[in-house]
């Protein structure tokens, strides 16, 4: 026996965790149960367990324990050979792998990976900038069960990748090719015609996409739930209306930075997409109260709306949202300079206010005063409010709000007080700071 803390640990207990392959834990528990225990461990812990003993090395490195791997929080500066070794160890067990941000991984390693891990369903290569069309050819050839693929910021990807995926990965449900700016309507057409089960398309920053690409999506993706077209600046009402009419299950749409769209889109969403929960239309300056009225009256499940720089909207939009959208949780109105305290009053008394509203952003809303904060004090779920450059908001107003909502995060900025100019011939013309500068 030996001393351990305040008590004694028997030699038997100590032997439970000794390096010996004859440790009691290995004798008492069957391999299947040990494997089951190991299956709950993360990558780092499995690697540590593999160093305990020969038997634990075998157990820890068993492919059944490596069905889901995410290296993002572990180590991102890995080389391709690490991915090859992982693929050989996991084989057909591996279902989910994230190599997000692994800049050193290229096409060769992913070809070996594809050959070994043919049951892969979810693969993230977000930010793996060495990846080219060759990787998608490998995935197409060897990984027919692929459902989720993230290629965001893999800027060498072209239409050839989408054509390859359409030929070999018919089960694809979610694809992220944000910032792959070489992709055009031809690639989108090939993809959607062969992958009818697509539910999520992330095309942020695909600046070559035009309305023709959206028409293909609207015609072939009836299951689509999420669509991100942020900064796809060439698209217009024509293409988006096709999306609305063909994708009735749409729940999340981002068209922020698409400056050509008008109220026609909001009418189309209201008439065709009643399940809409998230709408991001920041910097869409042609949208007005008329469009948002139609939207609010038909889309009662809205939870998050980003209306930043929708400069034409007024309190009328807030009145409609307060009446018809009881599930609203997040609302951005930054740079909507026509919004006043009266609009916030309606919002604060609406059905979403008491139990749902969590975030409201009012940066650069010059007509907002402390009265708005009074109207929001009954919003018990309110977690954060943004008030940068709201000139009429005071510290006293924020302090009063905090007496009702003590845990709220208030982000505001108050410029330092400038000393008044000196008066009189003999007194200095500048404040002390200016003299020092």
């Amino acid at each position: 026996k030996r001393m351990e803390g305040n008590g004694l640990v028997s030699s038997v207990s100590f032997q439970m965790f000794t390096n010996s392959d004859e440790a009691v834990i290995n004798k008492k528990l069957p391999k299947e149960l040990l494997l089951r225990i190991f299956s709950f461990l993360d990558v780092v812990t499995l690697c540590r367990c593999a160093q305990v003993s020969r038997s634990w090395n075998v157990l820890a490195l068993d492919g059944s324990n490596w069905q889901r791997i995410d290296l993002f929080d572990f180590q991102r500066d890995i080389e391709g050979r690490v991915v090859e070794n992982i693929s050989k160890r996991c084989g057909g067990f591996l279902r989910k792998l994230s190599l997000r941000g692994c800049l050193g991984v290229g096409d060769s390693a992913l070809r070996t990976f594809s050959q070994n891990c043919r049951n892969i369903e979810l693969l993230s290569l977000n930010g793996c900038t060495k990846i080219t069309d060759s990787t998608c050819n490998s995935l197409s050839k060897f990984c027919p069960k692929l459902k989720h693929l993230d290629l965001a910021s893999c800027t060498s990807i072209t239409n050839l990748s989408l054509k390859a995926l359409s030929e070999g990965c018919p089960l694809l449900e979610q694809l992220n090719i944000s910032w792959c700016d070489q992709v055009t309507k031809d690639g989108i057409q090939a993809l959607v015609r062969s992958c009818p089960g697509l539910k999520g398309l992330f095309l942020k920053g695909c600046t070559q996409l035009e309305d023709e690409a959206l028409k293909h999506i609207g015609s072939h993706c009836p299951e689509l739930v999420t669509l991100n077209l942020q900064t796809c600046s060439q698209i217009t009402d024509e293409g988006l209306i096709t999306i609305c009419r063909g994708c009735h299950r749409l729940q999340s749409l981002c068209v922020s930075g698409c400056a050509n769209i008008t109220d026609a889109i909001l009418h189309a969403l209201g008439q065709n997409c009643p399940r809409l929960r998230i709408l991001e239309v920041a910097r869409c300056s042609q949208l007005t109260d008329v469009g948002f009225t139609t939207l609010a009256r038909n889309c009662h499940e809205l939870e998050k709306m980003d209306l930043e720089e929708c400069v034409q909207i007024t309190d009328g939009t807030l009145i409609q949202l307060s009446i018809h959208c009881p599930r609203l949780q997040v609302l951005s109105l930054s740079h909507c300079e026509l919004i006043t305290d009266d609009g916030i009053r309606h919002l604060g008394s609406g059905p979403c206010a008491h139990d749902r509203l969590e975030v409201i952003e009012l940066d650069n809303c010059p007509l907002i005063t402390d009265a708005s904060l009074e109207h929001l004090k009954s919003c018990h779920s309110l977690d954060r409010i943004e008030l940068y450059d709201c000139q009429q908001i005071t510290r006293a107003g924020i302090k009063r709000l905090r007496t009702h909502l003590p845990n709220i995060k208030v982000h505001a900025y108050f410029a330092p007080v400038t000393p008044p100019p000196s008066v009189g011939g003999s007194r200095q013309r500048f404040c002390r700071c200016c003299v020092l500068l």
Side-chain angles (χ1 to χ4, degrees):
K1 296 185 177 183
R2 66 170 190 158
M3 294 295 296
E4 185 75 20
N6 295 326
L8 294 173
V9 176
S10 69
S11 58
V12 173
S13 299
F14 176 62
Q15 191 183 359
M16 290 284 287
F17 300 100
T18 184
N19 285 341
S20 169
D21 280 343
E22 298 302 315
V24 174
I25 192 171
N26 297 329
K27 291 180 178 180
K28 295 292 185 182
L29 296 181
K31 177 184 176 183
E32 291 77 15
L33 183 54
L34 284 169
L35 274 174
R36 178 64 176 162
I37 294 170
F38 277 40
S39 70
F40 292 98
L41 304 180
D42 58 28
V43 173
V44 177
T45 310
L46 280 171
C47 291
R48 288 173 178 166
C49 288
Q51 300 173 58
V52 170
S53 68
R54 290 189 185 91
S55 59
W56 276 33
N57 181 275
V58 172
L59 290 169
L61 300 185
D62 189 281
S64 63
N65 292 320
W66 297 73
Q67 297 182 42
R68 298 171 296 276
I69 304 174
D70 187 346
L71 297 180
F72 186 74
D73 294 323
F74 174 46
Q75 185 173 346
R76 276 168 275 172
D77 57 347
I78 65 170
E79 299 175 359
R81 61 184 178 83
V82 175
V83 175
E84 294 178 9
N85 291 338
I86 287 175
S87 72
K88 291 172 184 176
R89 176 180 306 144
C90 301
F93 287 108
L94 190 62
R95 297 292 189 275
K96 301 178 181 180
L97 174 65
S98 176
L99 299 174
R100 183 162 57 113
C102 295
L103 302 177
V105 177
D107 292 328
S108 176
L110 283 162
R111 178 174 178 80
T112 302
F113 164 81
S114 302
Q115 291 172 330
N116 290 322
C117 301
R118 302 190 181 205
N119 291 318
I120 190 73
E121 296 176 5
L122 186 152
L123 178 62
S124 175
L125 302 174
N126 189 319
C128 298
T129 51
K130 288 185 178 181
I131 297 304
T132 72
D133 293 330
S134 176
T135 285
C136 288
N137 284 328
S138 299
L139 293 172
S140 172
K141 187 174 181 180
F142 301 110
C143 303
K145 297 182 180 180
L146 192 62
K147 293 182 179 179
H148 293 222
L149 179 60
D150 189 347
L151 297 169
S153 300
C154 298
T155 52
S156 296
I157 293 298
T158 72
N159 290 336
L160 295 176
S161 285
L162 301 193
K163 290 175 181 177
L165 292 171
S166 71
E167 294 168 1
C169 303
L171 302 181
L172 205 61
E173 294 180 2
Q174 186 163 298
L175 178 66
N176 188 345
I177 51 171
S178 296
W179 310 112
C180 298
D181 55 7
Q182 297 188 60
V183 170
T184 70
K185 67 179 189 308
D186 294 334
I188 297 296
Q189 180 181 18
L191 178 76
V192 298
R193 282 186 170 179
S194 299
C195 301
L198 277 169
K199 296 180 180 178
L201 266 177
F202 299 83
L203 307 173
K204 179 178 179 180
C206 294
T207 51
Q208 291 198 59
L209 295 185
E210 302 169 326
D211 289 335
E212 198 65 32
L214 303 193
K215 291 178 182 178
H216 293 309
I217 296 172
S219 299
H220 295 95
C221 299
E223 303 294 320
L224 197 67
V225 173
T226 302
L227 179 62
N228 190 319
L229 296 165
Q230 183 174 335
T231 68
C232 296
S233 54
Q234 295 192 62
I235 66 174
T236 70
D237 294 344
E238 185 181 358
L240 281 170
I241 288 173
T242 308
I243 295 285
C244 297
R245 289 175 177 170
C247 307
H248 298 292
R249 299 188 179 187
L250 197 65
Q251 294 183 21
S252 176
L253 176 65
C254 176
V255 286
S256 294
C258 300
N260 295 320
I261 68 173
T262 72
D263 284 343
I265 297 307
L266 302 181
H267 291 303
L269 285 168
Q271 292 165 3
N272 297 282
C273 304
R275 301 182 186 181
L276 193 67
R277 294 189 300 107
I278 300 173
L279 178 64
E280 299 179 27
V281 288
R283 304 182 300 285
C284 297
S285 57
Q286 297 189 60
L287 303 181
T288 73
D289 292 339
V290 176
F292 284 112
T293 296
T294 301
L295 182 78
R297 289 178 176 176
N298 292 279
C299 298
H300 305 302
E301 297 184 18
L302 280 165
E303 296 176 1
K304 177 183 177 182
M305 297 185 72
D306 184 353
L307 312 184
E308 182 174 347
E309 291 187 47
C310 291
V311 293
Q312 295 194 55
I313 67 171
T314 71
D315 294 338
T317 289
L318 298 193
I319 292 171
Q320 296 299 321
L321 292 177
S322 69
I323 296 171
H324 300 291
C325 301
R327 300 186 180 184
L328 201 60
Q329 297 175 16
V330 179
L331 180 62
S332 176
L333 299 166
S334 298
H335 294 273
C336 296
E337 298 186 359
L338 301 179
I339 297 296
T340 74
D341 294 334
D342 192 53
I344 302 301
R345 177 175 65 82
H346 281 88
L347 192 68
S349 60
C352 72
H354 299 290
D355 301 316
R356 298 278 186 165
L357 194 63
E358 296 175 2
V359 176
I360 184 166
E361 299 179 358
L362 297 168
D363 300 331
N364 292 94
C365 292
L367 303 181
I368 294 297
T369 74
D370 287 349
S372 283
L373 303 187
E374 290 293 318
H375 299 320
L376 293 172
K377 66 185 182 182
S378 61
C379 300
H380 305 298
S381 297
L382 199 60
D383 178 66
R384 175 168 60 88
I385 183 169
E386 304 285 337
L387 296 166
Y388 289 110
D389 293 312
C390 293
Q391 303 287 333
Q392 299 191 67
I393 295 292
T394 68
R395 287 187 174 89
I398 293 173
K399 186 176 181 180
R400 286 194 296 272
L401 178 65
R402 283 204 169 107
T403 62
H404 297 276
L405 304 171
N407 297 318
I408 192 171
K409 303 178 186 70
V410 181
H411 297 155
Y413 171 76
F414 297 96
V417 178
T418 304
S422 300
V423 181
S426 61
R427 298 169 70 181
Q428 63 184 34
R429 293 191 304 119
F430 304 107
C431 71
R432 187 180 298 274
C433 296
C434 295
V435 172
L436 291 173
L437 292 172

